[in-house]
């Protein structure tokens, strides 16, 4: 009986100690700057975030630089294979070894991004991987509707450039694209989730005569509009006729990538694509989860510090999306027989012309 009581007392004492330790671990830390974080090691990042906003993102805009930072993070990280032999993943090699990786066919226009980021990278003295992926998280946070992306701190310097032909291209067929994602550890559903990034993206080199051509009509908002507009019947090419990697777009001034349209129509991905339409929370949740995985490819998460609370909180987007003016459900090229298509209103007026992204 005495032993039983002693065991019970010890159990209570251990539980109390664990509870105190957990509470201490959860206690927020107030940095010298006044910012609050769950981990004191993250305090050094708050001034860096301010500098990124000032020097890269025009004071916190969802503009060309924010879109480019997100693109750079993908092109950096996807050079990886779960089977080995394809690069270090999310290590910043695209910035350090830019002279090599900028020459890759899929990296057209990357030189403009790295040229803009490199001086700031040198000033901040972060590892290249931390810089690339912090910039992506901060830039994305400037876009209303975006998720607050995770940021893990402490990536080691990259050892070498990633190999060529690891980045999916708009001219690739769906089988090739899904095979490349699978080799990097992503399912077809996660591949579609990552393509949510196209809601704030634009093309600079598919048709060089029209740089900054957006992929949907609400490029400044992280919403599900791109998933709708990729499904609409095409009417025209936005620039100098048909170019490799594009198909006809529904709207003047908008580009539709050949790969996006193919993925929206393929039986392996069509229902994942359609399910995103007008389901903001689904898109946000799935994109954040897929980006969390992407931005730590090739890294040992146990050796990284979670500094996600240094990332600004994006403004919300709570509206229902709409068909662009002059479009209705009859104009949708539905490829998923298993889901009802959502009921959407139509913007009034004539079909719009989508303007290019400012600063392109």
């Amino acid at each position: 009986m005495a032993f039983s009581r002693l065991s019970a007392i010890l159990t209570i004492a251990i539980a109390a100690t664990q509870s105190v330790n957990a509470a201490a671990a959860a206690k927020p830390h107030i940095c010298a700057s006044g910012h609050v974080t769950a981990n004191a090691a993250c305090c050094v990042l708050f001034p860096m975030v301010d500098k990124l906003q000032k020097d890269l993102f025009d004071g916190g805009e969802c503009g060309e630089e924010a879109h480019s930072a997100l693109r750079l993070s993908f092109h950096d990280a996807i050079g990886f294979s779960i089977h080995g032999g394809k690069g270090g993943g999310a290590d910043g090699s695209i910035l350090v070894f830019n002279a090599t990786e900028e020459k890759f066919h899929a990296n057209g226009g990357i030189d403009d991004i790295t040229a803009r980021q490199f001086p700031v990278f040198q000033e901040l003295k972060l590892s290249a991987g931390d810089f690339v992926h912090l910039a992506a998280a901060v830039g994305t946070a400037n876009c209303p509707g975006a998720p607050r992306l995770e940021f893990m701190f402490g990536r080691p310097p990259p050892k070498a450039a990633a190999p060529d032909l690891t980045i999916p291209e708009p001219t690739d067929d769906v089988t090739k694209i899904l095979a490349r994602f699978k080799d990097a550890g992503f399912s077809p559903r996660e591949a579609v989730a990552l393509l949510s990034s196209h809601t704030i993206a634009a093309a600079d080199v598919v048709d060089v005569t029209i740089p900054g051509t957006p992929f949907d009509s609400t490029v400044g908002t992280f919403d599900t509009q791109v998933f709708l507009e990729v499904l609409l019947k095409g009417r025209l090419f936005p620039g100098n006729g048909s170019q490799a990697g594009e198909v006809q777009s529904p709207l003047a001034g908008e580009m539709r990538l050949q790969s996006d349209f193919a993925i929206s129509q393929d039986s392996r991905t069509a229902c994942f694509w359609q399910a995103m339409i007008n389901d903001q929370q689904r898109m946000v949740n799935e994109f954040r989860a897929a980006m969390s995985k992407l931005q730590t490819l090739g890294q040992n998460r146990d050796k990284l510090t979670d500094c996600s609370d240094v990332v600004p909180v994006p403004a919300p987007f709570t509206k229902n999306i709409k068909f662009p003016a002059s479009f209705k459900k009859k104009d949708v090229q539905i490829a998923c027989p298993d889901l009802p298509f959502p009921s959407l209103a139509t913007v009034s007026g004539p079909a719009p012309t989508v303007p290019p992204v400012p600063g392109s």
Side-chain angles (χ1 to χ4, degrees):
M1 291 292 291
F3 180 76
S4 297
R5 285 196 297 273
L6 178 60
S7 296
I9 291 170
L10 286 173
T11 299
I12 293 170
I14 291 170
T17 301
Q18 290 175 335
S19 177
V20 169
N21 289 341
K27 184 178 180 179
H29 179 85
I30 302 175
C31 306
S33 62
H35 294 97
V36 179
T37 175
N39 193 311
C42 304
C43 285
V44 67
L45 295 172
F46 285 105
M48 298 187 186
V49 169
D50 291 342
K51 186 170 181 61
L52 288 171
Q53 293 285 45
K54 177 178 177 290
D55 292 355
L56 280 185
F57 303 129
D58 302 314
E61 292 185 1
C62 180
E64 170 66 14
E65 290 79 13
H67 314 157
S68 296
L70 184 54
R71 181 189 180 205
L72 193 69
S73 71
F74 175 76
H75 284 232
D76 176 60
I78 201 65
F80 177 78
S81 170
I82 58 176
H83 306 292
K86 281 202 170 64
D91 61 358
S93 67
I94 200 165
L95 196 59
V96 172
F97 301 102
N98 56 75
T100 297
E101 296 196 29
E102 283 170 4
K103 296 176 182 176
F104 297 169
H105 187 264
N107 280 342
I110 287 291
D111 56 335
D112 291 339
I113 307 170
T114 56
R116 180 74 186 271
Q117 290 195 1
F118 204 82
V120 185
F121 160 61
Q122 289 180 307
E123 285 188 61
L124 293 186
K125 302 188 185 307
L126 287 169
S127 73
D130 280 350
F131 179 87
V132 167
H133 297 286
L134 178 61
V138 173
T140 302
N142 293 333
C143 301
R148 190 187 197 190
L149 295 180
E150 177 185 79
F151 177 67
M152 303 299 290
F153 182 36
R155 295 169 182 79
K159 296 179 180 178
D164 199 359
L165 304 179
T166 56
I167 303 166
E169 300 198 51
T171 52
D172 292 341
D173 62 37
V174 178
T175 295
K176 185 175 182 180
I177 292 170
L178 294 183
R180 176 76 274 275
F181 274 108
K182 182 178 181 180
D183 185 45
F186 294 93
S187 68
R189 179 171 181 158
E190 290 172 320
V192 171
L194 288 171
L195 289 173
S196 301
S197 62
H198 286 183
T199 183
I200 56 167
D204 289 325
V205 297
V206 174
D207 185 336
V208 296
T209 68
I210 48 169
T213 304
F215 298 141
D216 76 14
S217 59
T218 58
V219 71
T221 305
F222 200 101
D223 57 24
T224 68
Q225 196 76 29
V226 69
F227 290 101
L228 170 63
E229 291 179 13
V230 166
L231 289 180
L232 298 178
K233 292 176 182 177
R235 297 178 175 180
L236 46 78
F237 292 105
N240 191 24
S242 176
Q243 305 294 319
E246 71 170 328
V247 294
Q248 284 189 323
S249 165
L251 296 174
E254 177 178 295
M255 181 170 289
R256 177 156 52 191
L257 294 180
Q258 174 185 316
S259 53
D260 281 359
F261 182 64
I263 288 170
S264 78
Q265 299 296 298
D266 192 277
S267 61
R268 293 165 288 185
T269 47
C271 289
F272 298 139
W273 189 280
Q274 183 179 308
M276 294 289 197
I277 297 172
N278 208 34
D279 193 338
Q280 182 75 11
Q281 199 59 53
R282 176 195 289 267
M283 183 184 71
V284 164
N285 290 344
E286 295 197 15
F287 180 69
R288 187 181 192 278
M291 282 297 293
S292 175
K293 188 172 177 178
L294 178 83
Q295 293 188 290
T296 52
L297 284 180
Q299 306 301 310
N300 184 343
R301 287 182 65 96
D302 292 338
K303 294 185 177 181
L304 302 179
T305 302
D306 187 348
C307 289
S308 302
D309 53 15
V310 308
V311 178
V313 178
F317 176 81
T318 57
K319 300 177 183 178
N320 291 319
I321 66 166
K322 297 180 179 181
F323 284 111
S326 80
F327 285 88
K328 296 181 179 179
K329 184 178 177 180
K330 64 180 178 59
D331 300 305
V332 179
Q333 299 168 103
I334 296 175
C336 173
D338 301 328
L339 295 176
F341 196 83
S343 178
L344 303 173
T346 297
V347 175
S348 60
T353 295
V354 183
V357 176
S360 299

